[in-house]
Amino acid sequence: QEQLVESGGGVVQSGGSLKVSCNTGPILSTCGAGWYRQAPGKERELVATFFRRGETRYLDSVKGRFTIAQDNDLNTLFLEMTSLQIEDTGVYYCSPDLCNYYRTQGTQVTVSS
């Protein structure tokens, strides 16, 4: 099984945009796939969920700013983040199946003032 890898993080000023991606492959689980984040000193939280039929769900604080999507080849899961705020800083992790836990490196997103 191919290793799960997140990429696309970086440092951006408040109000800026970033797009992170992950090689999830096709989404097979009824639990959907998604992106978590963990800020320093805080617990990991689920930011966005993508279900097989295209339905999406978002954490209230990112609604209208973040978009989760999958590419047409069904191999990559993206999280496009706009109007980034300092509170969005953290390590972002993807999961191809939210019913299971995956240990991955994550990708660091840092929003500066």
Side-chain angles (χ1 to χ4, degrees), residues 8-93:
V11 180
V12 63
Q13 285 192 322
S14 179
S17 301
L18 276 176
K19 187 175 184 179
V20 293
S21 62
C22 178
N23 57 330
T24 57
I27 298 168
L28 305 176
S29 170
T30 56
C31 294
W35 285 92
Y36 292 91
R37 71 183 177 193
Q38 187 163 19
K42 295 187 177 180
E43 292 189 356
R44 185 177 292 203
E45 59 183 354
L46 181 61
V47 174
T49 305
F50 186 90
F51 295 95
R52 288 182 300 178
R53 296 182 180 178
E55 180 188 354
T56 57
R57 292 180 188 170
Y58 297 95
L59 186 67
D60 282 348
S61 62
V62 308
K63 282 180 181 177
R65 301 189 296 119
F66 288 14
T67 302
I68 188 171
Q70 192 174 38
D71 70 342
N72 290 333
D73 292 334
L74 305 182
N75 289 320
T76 305
L77 187 71
F78 298 100
L79 183 68
E80 187 158 14
M81 303 177 287
T82 64
S83 301
L84 281 162
Q85 303 168 359
I86 293 174
E87 296 74 26
D88 296 318
T89 294
V91 181
Y92 283 68
Y93 303 90

Side-chain angles (χ1 to χ4, degrees), residues 94-110:
C94 73
S95 170
D97 177 3
L98 293 176
C99 285
N100 292 298
Y101 173 77
Y102 296 82
R103 181 184 293 273
T104 61
Q105 293 272 6
T107 186
Q108 175 71 46
V109 172
T110 302

